[in-house]
Amino acid sequence: MMTIGIDVSKDKIDCAWLRDSEIGKVKTKVLKNNSEGFKELIQWAEKNTKHPITDIHFVMEATGIYHEALAYALHGAVVSVINPAYIHNYAKSQGSRIKTDKKDSITIAHYGATHTCAPWQPEPSEIRQLKALLSRYESIDKDLQREGNRLEKAEITVASIDVIDSIKTMLKELGKEKQRIKKLIDDHIDRNPQLKNDRALLESIPAVGSVLSQHMLALIYSRHFATAKQCSAFIGLNPVMHEPRTSVRGRSRLSKVGDPKIRAKLYMASVVAIQHNPDIKQQYERLLKNGKSKMAALGAAMRKLVQICFGVLKHQISYQPQGN
């Protein structure tokens, strides 16, 4: 199958077709990252490879929101969306130290040609909408924090009453909008029987509240994870060995290749879980007794919490401690 690597940025897409990977023969093209550019890409790919789009493997990195429209436009082809950390590590393993968009697209193409890449599947519409609402909610929450910091600074520096009133007005309006979006999220889940049922299953787990349950729904159903281990690895919770030059074997750490926001929420939930979730508490105490550091044991607690969330959704059964 023909392989085309694509480096996606906000305004453009750099494309590289491996004409002959053994001798390094490559054909490249730069197009706009919009609907017209996507049409041109399909025409360029079919014209040069002499193959229909269904026989072409397009490989790209997951670049925030910039790759999504292109992935949808190419859905008739075989499309793979790869974690950028995997591409970065592959480039390092190949000794590549040059950083250009053209070079990146070639590296992505070589990665796609030499690795087994899972085909990308579009998210269900209800999950896509849920993710959009959650993203908007978090953006407003950040704006509230910024305005709160500005108010504190204004009051300390004795700013004019007009400035303080302006900040307070913004805080009031942002607070109202935050509550409105929160209601939209709850209503969206309640209108979908499966999401409503699954949220209840997740919230049966000690330490999983309304916020984490919403984000775990969006996470687990956004990809076709075969196992809880795959899900944990996707968000960067799998341990990797750190081996400093001065030591034969160093301590393991989390890979942190995924979304830091969901890891932060899982971290806070795991702090609660080691006190109130019987399975996670037992595991945490056992690891400490065996000499693991608190951070390593807490990382294991985060993975365990993902495993439990994945399990209740897969089996459609409320949480039951393993001892029962």
Side-chain angles (χ1 to χ4, degrees), residues 176-191:
K176 288 165 58 178
E177 185 62 11
K178 180 180 176 180
Q179 290 304 311
R180 191 181 77 86
I181 298 297
K182 181 179 182 300
K183 186 176 186 305
L184 287 175
I185 293 170
D186 290 335
D187 290 346
H188 175 69
I189 294 175
D190 288 341
R191 282 196 304 269

Side-chain angles (χ1 to χ4, degrees), residues 78-219:
V78 179
V79 179
S80 295
V81 179
I82 310 299
N83 190 314
Y86 298 161
I87 304 295
H88 175 72
N89 291 335
Y90 173 74
K92 286 176 61 178
S93 73
Q94 300 300 304
S96 175
R97 300 185 183 279
I98 302 172
K99 179 66 178 175
T100 66
D101 293 337
K102 180 179 178 179
K103 183 71 174 181
D104 286 347
S105 64
I106 296 172
T107 299
I108 294 168
H110 278 287
Y111 180 93
T114 56
H115 291 71
T116 300
C117 302
W120 173 83
Q121 294 291 334
E123 297 168 343
S125 59
E126 64 272 16
I127 296 300
R128 187 171 175 81
Q129 186 175 349
L130 175 60
K131 288 176 67 175
L133 287 168
L134 290 172
S135 177
R136 180 58 184 158
Y137 181 88
E138 292 199 335
S139 295
I140 294 171
D141 192 52
K142 285 183 179 180
D143 289 339
L144 268 168
Q145 293 176 29
R146 293 190 187 100
E147 286 299 309
N149 293 336
R150 291 183 183 116
L151 178 61
E152 182 180 0
K153 181 179 178 181
E155 290 176 336
I156 290 174
T157 58
V158 195
S160 71
I161 190 65
D162 291 334
V163 170
I164 292 175
D165 285 346
S166 173
I167 297 172
K168 287 182 176 179
T169 298
M170 287 296 296
L171 283 168
K172 181 179 178 180
E173 293 303 316
L174 285 169
K176 288 165 58 178
E177 185 62 11
K178 180 180 176 180
Q179 290 304 311
R180 191 181 77 86
I181 298 297
K182 181 179 182 300
K183 186 176 186 305
L184 287 175
I185 293 170
D186 290 335
D187 290 346
H188 175 69
I189 294 175
D190 288 341
R191 282 196 304 269
N192 187 297
Q194 187 65 57
L195 290 181
K196 183 177 181 180
N197 173 73
D198 288 349
R199 178 172 62 178
L201 292 176
L202 288 171
E203 292 180 7
S204 72
I205 305 168
V208 176
S210 61
V211 173
L212 183 59
S213 67
Q214 294 164 1
H215 284 270
M216 290 306 292
L217 282 175
L219 168 68

Side-chain angles (χ1 to χ4, degrees), residues 59-73:
V59 185
M60 66 191 78
E61 291 180 315
T63 53
I65 60 173
Y66 299 127
H67 73 279
E68 291 186 356
L70 175 58
Y72 275 94

